[in-house]
Amino acid sequence: DVNIPRSDGGTPVLIAAQNGHVDTIKALCGLGANVNTPYKDGGTPVFMAARNGHVDAIKALCGFGADVNIPNEDGATPVFMAAQKGHVYVIEALCGLGADVNVPMNDGATPVFVAAQNGHVDAINALCGLGADVNIPAKNGSTPVLIAAQNGHADAIKLLYKLGADMGVTAPIRSGNWDVLDVARAHDNPKAVACIEKILSKMHSECECCGCSTKKLSRCGGCNKVRYCSVDCQKKDRKKHR
């Protein structure tokens, strides 16, 4: 019986997927192997192939009807695991096969969040090119740019800002709400601090709406951070800024 599992739930096709053995996957599936049977922790054959960067194994599994969006018991999907490991080609392959790039774990962390947490710049770029949202927070309020600041990933912070990350976001930490710069300073990440200060300086020297840097700018009375060159620009940007 090709579907009898080990004590941990690992079936022959799951072990083959985990190790990237494409011909074995095809042989087992031809003999009736179930391509979606997971480990006891919920990790499916596609999940394990994604974790280990085996693109051809994923394609083979999907050719036999594997589901690319089944999460493990923690809520991590195959694309989340690929993002965590920085496997760009796996992310692209999974999305081409129907993976959702914004499905979060049980704690609310999205694939972009975990890529930012680990400083995987290429993975962040790939995910956003496939429709990922850079501002979805985890359940604790932390966003991708906040977690990148916490871990000192300056290049990830730069990219997230270019991709539209909210640099004014705050999260409840310890006794108050901390912003991106607070987090980088608190975790003693000088490169991240310098990167954020440069971004904020640029933001504060240009009109948030039109980008004008030649006129006198006034701060928004609500957030006291972004600036505008005129009342008209502030009105135009009101819906987005809110």
Side-chain angles (χ1 to χ4, degrees):
D1 185 341
V2 294
N3 287 307
I4 294 177
R6 303 186 309 192
S7 60
D8 61 2
T11 61
V13 75
L14 202 157
I15 305 306
Q18 182 173 309
N19 290 285
H21 299 316
V22 176
D23 289 339
T24 306
I25 291 169
K26 291 177 179 178
L28 288 165
C29 291
L31 294 166
N34 188 322
V35 291
N36 289 316
T37 301
Y39 274 121
K40 287 184 177 179
D41 67 1
T44 64
V46 169
F47 181 95
M48 299 309 299
R51 188 185 75 170
N52 294 329
H54 300 311
V55 174
D56 290 338
I58 293 168
K59 291 178 179 178
L61 290 162
C62 289
F64 288 96
D67 187 332
V68 295
N69 286 308
I70 297 175
N72 69 2
E73 63 182 9
D74 295 320
T77 61
V79 76
F80 181 97
M81 185 52 62
Q84 184 179 65
K85 298 294 183 178
H87 298 319
V88 174
Y89 292 116
V90 175
I91 292 168
E92 292 172 343
L94 286 166
C95 291
L97 293 164
D100 187 329
V101 292
N102 287 314
V103 175
M105 281 186 67
N106 297 340
D107 65 3
T110 62
V112 168
F113 184 97
V114 77
Q117 185 175 27
N118 290 283
H120 298 315
V121 175
D122 291 339
I124 295 169
N125 206 31
L127 288 163
C128 291
L130 293 163
D133 187 331
V134 296
N135 288 309
I136 296 176
K139 287 184 178 178
N140 64 2
S142 184
T143 63
V145 76
L146 279 167
I147 198 67
Q150 179 177 320
N151 290 313
H153 300 310
D155 289 339
I157 294 167
K158 288 179 191 175
L159 178 59
L160 288 164
Y161 168 64
K162 288 180 181 178
L163 293 170
D166 182 357
M167 298 301 293
V169 69
T170 60
I173 301 172
R174 298 178 188 172
S175 58
N177 282 338
W178 289 28
D179 62 23
V180 178
L181 190 56
D182 292 332
V183 170
R185 284 172 174 164
H187 288 83
D188 194 23
N189 293 318
K191 287 185 178 179
V193 169
C195 171
I196 294 163
E197 287 179 336
K198 185 175 181 180
I199 289 171
L200 294 178
S201 175
K202 181 181 178 181
M203 287 173 62
H204 294 164
S205 64
E206 297 178 348
C207 174
E208 183 73 8
C209 179
C210 69
C212 173
S213 59
T214 58
K215 297 180 182 178
K216 183 179 178 181
L217 305 177
S218 299
R219 292 180 186 270
C220 165
C223 71
N224 201 35
K225 290 182 179 180
V226 302
R227 301 189 183 193
Y228 297 100
C229 66
S230 68
V231 173
D232 287 340
C233 272
Q234 185 171 11
K235 287 180 178 178
K236 287 179 184 178
D237 198 52
R238 183 170 295 163
K239 187 175 180 180
K240 175 186 171 185
H241 183 53
R242 277 183 175 178

